[in-house]
Amino acid sequence: MAQLIPWSEFESDYAENFPTEMGAPAKSFRMALGALIIKEKLLISDIETVEQIRENPYLQYFIGQSTYSNEPPFDPSLLVHFRQRISANLIKKVNERMVEKMRETTPKPPEKKRFGRKK
C-alpha cells in the first residue's frame, strides 16, 4: 500500500492547512495519513496507534521514517489534528489516484477466445 499512495503529490494540499510563520514544523502528509490508515486498519485507539508504530519497523516505514526508532514518532494527541487537517475531499483524491495507479500497474487479463458452433 505504501507504494500505491502517491504521498508527495498531496503534500502541498495538506500543507495548506498550516500557517507559514508560526509553530513547530508540521508532520509530513505521509506520517499523518499513514498513521490514520494504521489506526483504522487495526481498529485501535490513538494511544495504541502511536505505540504500535513505535514498536514496529514496518509501520515506521509506512509512515515515512527511513530508520527504526524506539521513540514515539509523535504524541497521540496529534492524531486529532491529523483527522481535522485531512479532509474527506483530500482522502477522495488520494483514493482516486491510488485506483489510477493500480490500473496502470496491473496487467490486463488475456482475452478469452470464444469457440462457437458453426451452423
Side-chain angles (χ1 to χ4, degrees):
M1 183 184 269
Q3 308 231 331
L4 283 177
I5 300 172
W7 306 102
S8 60
E9 285 182 34
F10 297 100
E11 192 70 47
S12 61
D13 290 345
Y14 177 67
E16 290 174 3
N17 295 303
F18 300 96
T20 53
E21 302 110 24
M22 298 171 46
K27 300 295 183 189
S28 71
F29 175 68
R30 181 171 181 162
M31 184 172 284
L33 182 60
L36 292 175
I37 290 170
I38 291 165
K39 179 187 177 354
E40 292 305 314
K41 285 272 194 192
L42 299 178
L43 301 171
I44 55 179
S45 71
D46 292 356
I47 293 169
E48 184 64 20
T49 300
V50 173
E51 191 61 22
Q52 287 292 321
I53 293 169
R54 185 188 69 76
E55 294 175 354
N56 189 319
Y58 297 106
L59 297 181
Q60 289 183 22
Y61 171 80
F62 185 72
I63 66 167
Q65 292 184 284
S66 57
T67 58
Y68 175 77
S69 172
N70 198 35
E71 297 297 316
F74 50 83
D75 189 86
S77 66
L78 277 181
L79 282 158
V80 173
H81 298 289
F82 295 164
R83 284 189 287 272
Q84 291 170 344
R85 292 175 180 149
I86 298 177
S87 68
N89 189 43
L90 184 53
I91 296 286
K92 181 181 175 202
K93 286 181 186 178
V94 171
N95 283 336
E96 288 170 352
R97 187 63 184 101
M98 283 176 65
V99 168
E100 287 173 19
K101 209 167 179 182
M102 284 176 62
R103 286 184 178 153
E104 291 168 3
T105 59
T106 304
K108 292 182 180 179
E111 288 188 32
K112 293 181 180 178
K113 293 183 180 180
R114 292 185 157 215
F115 296 101
R117 289 185 168 172
K118 291 185 181 181
K119 292 186 179 179

